[in-house]
Amino acid sequence: AQQAASCQGCRGLGECGGSPPSLYGTSGTAGAKVAAAAALATTTRRIVVTGGRNNRSSGLTSTVQLGPGEGLQQLKTKVRKVFGKFSNHKLGMLMLVDDAGAPVRPAKKGDLVEGARVQCTYSFAEGNPGFGGGFGRRGRGRMSNRSIVDLGTFPMRCDLGIF
């Protein structure tokens, strides 16, 4: 308190020998955030994931284990591996869920503590419409070997000496 009073005269510039004011604050919440970030970097956590979908079923629930330092991208990768492919859809946001099971807000890395609950959201993915018209259209637009053989039966093609 005395140092803070003495720094009032120098307007926090450090002329009186005191330290300048902190840009991040010195309240207890800042220390708690630093401690939580340190815990995320050094511990493994189990996250409960609900609302998963794949081609055969929906409403799936699983528990995913995150290693030290892993965040949302790694969690989404593990969710895709656990639940599998959901055709024509992509995994969207992971929503933080309250105790009643209602989504509250999008999850952030700091929310991924031990026992956290998140819900998957999916959005429609049309594929690549510029080539073949979307999913499952392999080989369209190319001539297969069978069609080349069939073209060889026409007399006009035979007269040209192509076959």
Side-chain angles (χ1 to χ4, degrees):
Q2 292 175 351
Q3 187 177 15
S6 66
C7 283
Q8 294 297 330
C10 69
R11 297 175 308 228
L13 299 175
E15 296 167 354
C16 63
S19 62
S22 173
L23 298 175
Y24 302 106
T26 57
S27 64
T29 58
K33 288 181 183 179
V34 170
L40 289 177
T42 59
T43 60
T44 59
R45 292 117 30 209
R46 287 185 303 243
I47 311 295
V48 179
V49 182
T50 60
R53 300 177 76 176
N54 59 25
N55 287 336
R56 287 174 275 167
S57 56
S58 62
L60 302 171
T61 301
S62 180
T63 302
V64 178
Q65 185 170 358
L66 285 181
E70 292 184 334
L72 281 174
Q73 283 301 115
Q74 291 81 11
L75 177 60
K76 288 175 79 172
T77 301
K78 290 181 180 191
V79 165
R80 286 185 194 103
K81 287 182 182 178
V82 168
F83 293 138
K85 174 79 173 134
F86 182 34
S87 294
N88 299 340
H89 288 80
K90 64 181 180 178
L91 180 61
M93 287 188 294
L94 294 175
M95 301 291 289
L96 194 64
V97 177
D98 62 2
D99 294 335
V104 178
R105 59 181 170 84
K108 298 179 182 176
K109 184 175 181 177
D111 299 328
L112 301 179
V113 295
E114 176 70 26
R117 296 173 51 97
V118 294
Q119 181 178 3
C120 298
T121 59
Y122 291 87
S123 61
F124 180 73
E126 62 185 22
N128 188 356
F131 180 73
F135 291 98
R137 302 274 184 165
R138 282 189 218 154
R140 301 269 172 126
R142 287 186 256 156
M143 293 181 68
S144 65
N145 290 335
R146 183 179 174 122
S147 63
I148 292 173
V149 171
D150 291 341
L151 288 176
T153 60
F154 292 116
M156 187 173 94
R157 293 280 179 173
C158 294
D159 291 341
L160 293 175
I162 296 175
F163 293 101

